[in-house]
Structure formats: structure tokens, C-alpha cells
Amino acid sequence: MFFEGSEKKVEVVVSELAPSLRSLGKNYWSNIVSQANAEILSTVSNEQCDAYLLSESSLFVWDHHFVMLTCGTTTLVSAVLSFLESYESDQLLSLIFQRKNEYLSHLQKSSFSEDIDKLQQNLSGKAYQLGNLDTHHNYVYHLDKPYVATPDDYTYELLMYHIHGDAAQYLRSEHQSAATIRELLELDKLLPGFEINDFVFAPFGYSMNAIKGHQYATIHITPQEESSYVSFETNLDLSTPNSNVIERLTSILQPNSFDIISFNGIPNIQSSSHTLMNHVSEPLTCGYTMRFYEFMRSEPKIGRAVSIL
Amino acid sequence: MFFEGSEKKVEVVVSELAPSLRSLGKNYWSNIVSQANAEILSTVSNEQCDAYLLSESSLFVWDHHFVMLTCGTTTLVSAVLSFLESYESDQLLSLIFQRKNEYLSHLQKSSFSEDIDKLQQNLSGKAYQLGNLDTHHNYVYHLDKPYVATPDDYTYELLMYHIHGDAAQYLRSEHQSAATIRELLELDKLLPGFEINDFVFAPFGYSMNAIKGHQYATIHITPQEESSYVSFETNLDLSTPNSNVIERLTSILQPNSFDIISFNGIPNIQSSSHTLMNHVSEPLTCGYTMRFYEFMRSEPKIGRAVSIL
């Protein structure tokens, strides 16, 4: 029952002068997604964004900007290379490709190092590792081209490991309902007014896309007992003192550890139960400052071994 | 300059009625070692033990007991399978095979799961994971056969990650001498009366075997800046209140984090600078209680990203 909630993510901005990304249509994006070995499960749209829910993955497309996030052993880099065939390089304003540390990298179809070799054949970029090799870390590759982000252009990623408590127990049970999961996660309070599109996998696993105007949020849950992992990502402003999204999600899901990764925003983090172990801040030449925070539960975990044979 | 200090270890006990393991001779062990893609660099012996220093690895052979510990992309399981051809299964009293979590498991020649599949074709064993999948952990496979260890049969492994300070700086420099490393590590105090056999690799890296009567200790150092790793292992008694080996080594090497793994002994751990994050205690059916402790530096690490392209 092992599933690597190993997230790969790409965020691309194209010139306002280039053709609209949304106008490319669902067939175009369906083909891009298939390059990553994923498929479109369902779609919601509003006046600014098309949000595609994929098999344990997500794709958000705006007119001149898209974000794709994939899990498991998907080959996101192939999707990126396929996309690059559609746009001239001078139409590309920003490209940021990320991979988080993997539990079992030998089960992945490629390493980050192999991925960036492929990207470098088409682009000129830089790459970094944020966080220590022996614990949580995040790899980033970005197009080495100055880009001026608008003041409201920020992204927050919250990655939670080894969840506990009532919500975790429900998420590991069978016969779940999307409605109960939304309620457990308090989505009506955390994402007020968002249109929500979600999917419960069998026997378990949950994915959700939410959009409101140009704003988006996405959640992916891999609840398996010994390798549980939940990711939340949004372009909502989580920097303000009254933003409680991080506090609520970490309180509900009680992870053993969690990471926060931000682009440009400084997250408002309140946690009485977790301690900051590692913080990295890196101004990237592509115009974003990337921040990485690793938190671990303050109380030591005392337990037994996991039987594997 | 990446080198995975990924340790694999096997410890085997054969019956007192079986032929002496030492009597098999250097050629026999040289062949066993070659199955793991390692080679014997030098040897020291006393009346009870032959200690072979291998390429970033170690082998200690007593009359009815041996320990082999290998790093990098060595294939220790092949050496074990080759050894098993020499002894009848009823002569085998205990076999414990361990692998620590790897940074980059896709660079390894096999996974723990593949290794135990091979061992299970010859033996009947059990396997466990001690520690969380997302941070440090240790895999163990053991022969499922009751064995009564003598009261002085304990083993301690100290694994240190991301070392800092003067000693770390020297260990990363060029033109090191074994004498200076022994002095920095205070080996004359920590291992009084031991015969020491050590080797300095070019451009850096250090391995040491030490023996005294039936007692042994071994150190392997992979000092590379972003993936530094030092392991210490011994059958000395590190449980007594005045045993300061763990305290001294962690003070000298100032690791960002360290793990302690013990078989039967309860280590005396004093650390003002590190906090216990995770502790697992598992009584194994082979007669040993295996303990795992994961410590991390109490002060968060604040820094910059690692540039990789």
C-alpha cells in the first residue's frame, strides 16, 4: 500500500503578448498531462482560471500562467518538455520546476538531476537544494531570466508528514465521503466562497482543487499509515497575522513534521506543538525569494518498529 | 563529490561446534569481501580477532562470529549470500542484516526490499523499519531463530550527519594525516589500549578499525560539505554513567543530527545541544532488543540554499 506522495511541480508564466494558455483548450492540456502519465478526472472553471483535477495531481491554467503539480511516479518533466514545444523561448517569462525529497527515490522514473539535464537542453537555468539532504528538502530549478513578480504574486506550499488524530483516522478508513473530509478540514472556513472540486480515491486518498477569481488552493492526501503525507498549496495571502490556514491544517492533521515553502510571501506560522528545525531563504535570480521551513513535533515520538516482513 | 555514507551491516554468529571463522583465512574473507565490491586494504589481528580495513568499510572476524560493515554502493547482500554457502543452516545461530536510510536510493545497486527477498530464499527471517520513513530510519532483517546473547553482548552504532566545527573543517581539508585525525577524535582517550589501524583516503575520507581483546571499534568518515556523515560502532559498554564516548564524539564533530542504534545495551546519552526527536525500542525474536534514537540539533539551522546548477 505504499504510495509516494512525492510532489513535482512546475509553474510557468508566458508573455501577455503570447496566445492565451486557456485558449489552447482541454484537449491540449489533456495531452500535456498524459506526458506525465496522469489524466484529467474533472474540471471546474471561472472567468479567470481552469482547474483540472488529475489522478492525485492538479493543473491550474490562467491566460498567461499555469501551475501543475503531480504525485507518485509521474514524469512531470516530460509534460514540461512537451509544453515547451508550443511556445517560443522569448515568450517564456518564468519557469520554476520543483521536486520535494523522496522517500524511495529508486522507485521514481527519474531523479531531479536527470530532470534538470533535460530542461537544460532547452533552457538556461539555475538549480538549488533547500534543506538538508538527510531530512526534508526541496529541489528547485528555475529559468535564469529576470522577472518582476507583481506584489500579490506569492505561493505557499504546506507539506505535512505522518498525520495523527481523528481526521487522520477517518482519512485512513474505508467508505469516506468528500463532504465529511471537507468538514474535517474546515474548508468552508479556510476557503470561503471558493468553488470546490474534489475526489475520493478507493480505498482511500483525497484530492481537491478550489478556485475563486484568480485565487486557487489544492490539497492532496496520501493517508497510508506509515507513509502518510498531505500537501496544501495556494496563492492566498498566508502572511497576515490573522491568516490561520497553516495553524488550522496542522492542528487538524497533527503531522509529525511539516515543511512550508513560499515564493515571495513570508508565512504567518503559529505552532505551539512544533519546533523550527531548519530555515532557508534564497533570493532567486528569476525574481522570487524562495523560503523553506522545516518543523518537527516538539515532543519526541516514542514507539515501536514497523514490521515489514 | 557526492559519496553516500550509506551503511549496510551484517553480524553473524555460528555454532561453537562449527569450524572457526578465523581459520578460513584471509583468502576466504578476501573473496567474501569482493562479492560486496569492496577490497581488503590492511589487517590487524590479536589473539581473538582479525580486523580487516576495507575500502570505506570494515570486517571483524572472531572464531564464531563476524561483523561486516560497508558504505557507498557496495552490495553487502551478495557477500552474505556467498558466506551462507560455506555453513549449514543449523550451524547458523544468528544473522542480523541492517541498512540505514539512504540519501539517494536510486544510486544504490539494490533496495533493502530486494536484499531481503534474496535472503529469504535461503533463510527464514523477519524485518523491521525503526524510525520514520521521512527522516532517519534503519532497516533490519534478522534470522527468526531464538538466540540467547551473553550478558556482555551489546553493540552500539552512532551515526552523525552534517558535521561542523574545527574537526569537520580539518576533515574536509586536503593533506590530512591519520595522526592528526586520531588526535582530533581523542582516540587515545576514547579507546585506551586499543590497537588502531586507519587509512586516510584522497582527497579526504577516513576509516579506522581498533581492537583490544574481543572488543572492537570502527569509524568511517565521509566529510563532503553537503552530505557529511560519520559512523562509529563498537561493542564497548556505552551504557555506564561514566561512559562519555557518545558525548565526546558528538561534541567534537558537532553534527546537525545523530542517530544511535543499539543491540541489548541502553546507551548513556548526554547532550545539551541536541534534542531527542524519535525513539523506537523493539524486542526481536532473535534474542536482541534493538533500540533506535534520533537526535537533532536544538537550535534551528538558518541558512542559504545549496547551489547545484
Side-chain angles (χ1 to χ4, degrees):
Chain A
M1 285 309 299
F2 178 76
F3 180 85
E4 179 106 48
S6 168
E7 293 197 358
K8 305 172 188 82
K9 181 189 159 189
V10 67
E11 183 144 11
V12 172
V13 182
V14 298
S15 163
E16 294 281 337
L17 304 173
S20 157
L21 294 165
R22 296 181 78 190
S23 70
L24 297 171
K26 187 176 171 182
N27 280 351
Y28 174 86
W29 290 106
S30 178
N31 176 52
I32 292 290
V33 159
S34 72
Q35 304 296 317
N37 289 318
E39 58 175 321
I40 295 175
L41 299 179
S42 59
T43 314
V44 286
S45 291
N46 65 20
E47 67 289 355
Q48 296 188 51
C49 179
D50 298 325
Y52 298 94
L53 197 68
L54 316 180
S55 37
E56 296 255 0
S57 308
S58 287
L59 168 66
F60 295 89
V61 184
W62 296 263
D63 277 327
H64 295 95
H65 170 212
F66 78 88
V67 173
M68 185 170 164
L69 199 148
T70 63
C71 304
T73 56
T74 49
T75 52
L76 181 58
V77 73
S78 303
V80 177
L81 295 173
S82 182
F83 170 79
L84 291 177
E85 293 169 8
S86 313
Y87 279 77
E88 301 295 326
S89 66
D90 62 349
Q91 294 178 317
L92 212 59
L93 301 187
S94 173
L95 183 147
I96 299 176
F97 178 83
Q98 287 172 261
R99 278 179 71 160
K100 86 168 187 72
N101 60 287
E102 283 135 11
Y103 293 150
L104 302 175
S105 64
H106 60 280
L107 300 180
Q108 291 289 317
K109 296 212 170 62
S110 67
S111 65
F112 178 72
S113 165
E114 288 162 347
D115 285 357
I116 63 175
D117 283 351
K118 286 180 187 160
L119 293 169
Q120 277 295 88
Q121 288 172 15
N122 296 269
L123 306 168
S124 172
K126 290 190 174 182
Y128 296 91
Q129 173 194 309
L130 284 79
N132 289 331
L133 198 58
D134 68 305
T135 59
H136 299 177
H137 52 273
N138 203 270
Y139 293 112
V140 64
Y141 169 91
H142 67 82
L143 187 64
D144 185 18
K145 189 170 174 175
Y147 172 70
V148 181
T150 57
D152 65 344
D153 179 357
Y154 27 69
T155 310
Y156 295 93
E157 304 167 12
L158 170 63
L159 318 180
M160 292 167 278
Y161 297 80
H162 294 293
I163 57 174
H164 297 89
D166 292 344
Q169 207 168 336
Y170 180 78
L171 291 165
R172 282 195 266 269
S173 67
E174 292 186 24
H175 313 298
Q176 301 164 28
S177 78
T180 306
I181 297 175
R182 291 182 193 194
E183 202 177 312
L184 283 170
L185 299 179
E186 303 176 3
L187 296 190
D188 57 337
K189 287 182 209 136
L190 300 184
L191 302 171
F194 275 70
E195 181 171 7
I196 288 180
N197 178 26
D198 52 6
F199 194 89
V200 180
F201 295 88
F204 36 60
Y206 175 76
S207 286
M208 183 222 74
N209 283 348
I211 50 173
K212 179 184 174 186
H214 75 284
Q215 295 181 315
Y216 77 98
T218 183
I219 294 178
H220 294 281
I221 300 179
T222 305
Q224 280 85 328
E225 183 85 35
E226 296 303 338
S227 56
S228 63
Y229 174 68
V230 177
S231 73
F232 171 80
E233 166 161 342
T234 190
N235 61 355
L236 277 170
D237 184 0
L238 304 189
S239 69
T240 64
N242 53 11
S243 164
N244 68 346
V245 174
I246 294 169
E247 187 278 318
R248 286 314 303 145
L249 287 175
T250 55
S251 294
I252 294 165
L253 293 166
Q254 299 176 38
N256 206 43
S257 55
F258 64 87
D259 304 335
I260 297 170
I261 296 159
S262 74
F263 288 87
N264 281 357
I266 298 177
N268 175 42
I269 308 169
Q270 296 148 341
S271 178
S272 54
S273 51
H274 291 74
T275 307
L276 180 66
M277 305 306 291
N278 193 9
H279 172 49
V280 176
S281 179
E282 188 70 32
L284 307 177
T285 59
C286 64
Y288 291 94
T289 291
M290 182 173 176
R291 294 181 174 85
F292 174 88
Y293 305 78
E294 180 182 8
F295 283 82
M296 293 187 83
R297 192 157 66 171
S298 310
E299 283 298 303
K301 186 180 167 195
I302 311 285
R304 292 285 299 271
V306 179
S307 172
I308 51 181
L309 177 72
Chain B
M1 284 310 297
F2 177 77
F3 180 85
E4 179 105 46
S6 168
E7 292 196 359
K8 305 170 187 83
K9 182 190 157 188
V10 68
E11 184 145 10
V12 172
V13 182
V14 297
S15 163
E16 293 283 337
L17 304 172
S20 157
L21 294 165
R22 295 181 79 190
S23 70
L24 298 171
K26 187 176 171 182
N27 279 352
Y28 174 86
W29 290 105
S30 179
N31 177 53
I32 292 290
V33 159
S34 72
Q35 303 297 318
N37 289 319
E39 58 175 322
I40 295 174
L41 299 179
S42 59
T43 315
V44 285
S45 291
N46 65 20
E47 68 289 355
Q48 297 189 51
C49 179
D50 298 325
Y52 298 94
L53 197 68
L54 315 180
S55 36
E56 296 255 0
S57 307
S58 287
L59 167 67
F60 296 88
V61 185
W62 296 264
D63 277 327
H64 295 95
H65 169 212
F66 78 88
V67 173
M68 186 171 164
L69 200 147
T70 63
C71 304
T73 57
T74 49
T75 52
L76 181 58
V77 72
S78 304
V80 178
L81 295 173
S82 181
F83 169 79
L84 291 177
E85 293 168 10
S86 312
Y87 280 77
E88 301 294 327
S89 66
D90 61 350
Q91 296 177 318
L92 212 59
L93 301 187
S94 174
L95 183 147
I96 299 177
F97 177 83
Q98 287 172 262
R99 278 179 72 158
K100 86 168 188 71
N101 61 285
E102 283 135 10
Y103 292 149
L104 302 175
S105 64
H106 61 279
L107 299 180
Q108 291 289 319
K109 296 213 170 60
S110 67
S111 65
F112 178 72
S113 165
E114 289 162 346
D115 285 356
I116 63 175
D117 284 350
K118 286 181 187 161
L119 293 169
Q120 277 294 89
Q121 288 172 15
N122 296 269
L123 306 169
S124 173
K126 291 191 174 180
Y128 296 91
Q129 173 194 309
L130 284 79
N132 289 331
L133 198 57
D134 68 304
T135 58
H136 299 179
H137 52 273
N138 204 271
Y139 293 112
V140 64
Y141 169 91
H142 67 83
L143 188 64
D144 185 18
K145 188 169 175 175
Y147 172 70
V148 181
T150 57
D152 65 344
D153 179 357
Y154 27 70
T155 310
Y156 296 93
E157 305 167 11
L158 169 64
L159 318 180
M160 292 168 277
Y161 297 80
H162 294 292
I163 58 173
H164 297 90
D166 292 344
Q169 206 168 338
Y170 181 78
L171 291 164
R172 282 194 266 269
S173 67
E174 292 186 24
H175 314 298
Q176 301 164 29
S177 78
T180 306
I181 296 175
R182 291 182 193 194
E183 201 176 312
L184 283 170
L185 299 179
E186 302 176 4
L187 295 190
D188 57 336
K189 288 182 209 137
L190 300 184
L191 302 170
F194 276 69
E195 181 172 6
I196 289 179
N197 179 26
D198 52 6
F199 195 89
V200 180
F201 295 87
F204 36 59
Y206 175 76
S207 287
M208 183 222 73
N209 283 347
I211 51 173
K212 179 184 174 186
H214 75 284
Q215 294 181 315
Y216 77 99
T218 182
I219 294 177
H220 294 281
I221 300 179
T222 305
Q224 280 84 327
E225 183 86 36
E226 297 303 338
S227 57
S228 64
Y229 174 69
V230 176
S231 73
F232 171 80
E233 165 159 343
T234 189
N235 61 355
L236 277 170
D237 184 0
L238 303 190
S239 69
T240 64
N242 54 10
S243 165
N244 68 346
V245 174
I246 294 169
E247 187 278 319
R248 286 313 303 144
L249 287 175
T250 55
S251 293
I252 295 165
L253 294 166
Q254 300 177 38
N256 206 43
S257 55
F258 65 87
D259 304 335
I260 297 170
I261 296 159
S262 74
F263 288 87
N264 281 358
I266 298 178
N268 176 42
I269 307 169
Q270 297 148 340
S271 178
S272 54
S273 51
H274 291 75
T275 307
L276 179 66
M277 305 307 291
N278 193 9
H279 172 47
V280 176
S281 178
E282 188 70 31
L284 307 177
T285 59
C286 65
Y288 292 94
T289 292
M290 182 173 175
R291 294 179 174 86
F292 173 87
Y293 305 78
E294 180 183 8
F295 283 82
M296 293 187 84
R297 191 157 67 172
S298 310
E299 283 298 303
K301 186 180 168 197
I302 311 285
R304 292 286 298 270
V306 180
S307 172
I308 51 181
L309 177 73

